[in-house]
Amino acid sequence: MACVRARLWLSEVPGVSAAAVPPAGPAATATAATAAYRALGAAGLGHLGGRLELRTYGGVPRGFDLANAARRAVAVALAGQHHHGDQHRDQYGEYR
């Protein structure tokens, strides 16, 4: 079973970009990016976007595993979002 960790940096530019995860391939990575964008839309923030970073450990992850990790990353990024002027804080408390 594969372990997937995801991190999302929010942006005011619509759409979510993600780099391909080598063991999973570009199709599974696109599924994760789409899941993250849909999660933003479900939260009423479809006008936002971001950069999704995926890391896998263990076996080859399924697209479902990547999509779940992407949705969790959106939830964490939105829960930890605090405005500091025009900057946004990511889920680790760093201003971007």
Side-chain angles (χ1 to χ4, degrees):
M1 179 179 222
C3 175
V4 181
R5 292 189 178 203
R7 191 171 170 184
L8 179 73
W9 286 270
L10 289 172
S11 168
E12 293 184 6
V13 178
V16 175
S17 64
V21 178
T29 304
T31 300
T34 301
Y37 189 65
R38 287 182 180 165
L40 284 170
L45 299 169
H47 62 283
L48 295 179
R51 184 172 62 86
L52 182 65
E53 178 184 294
L54 298 163
R55 293 185 184 200
T56 62
Y57 306 93
V60 177
R62 301 173 294 180
F64 179 78
D65 296 330
L66 292 172
N68 278 342
R71 284 189 284 272
R72 286 191 310 270
V74 168
V76 168
L78 293 179
Q81 181 183 20
H82 299 287
H83 293 283
H84 183 73
D86 290 331
Q87 299 176 337
H88 297 281
R89 195 182 300 183
D90 66 11
Q91 67 268 33
Y92 294 102
E94 299 171 343
Y95 287 105
R96 302 280 177 197

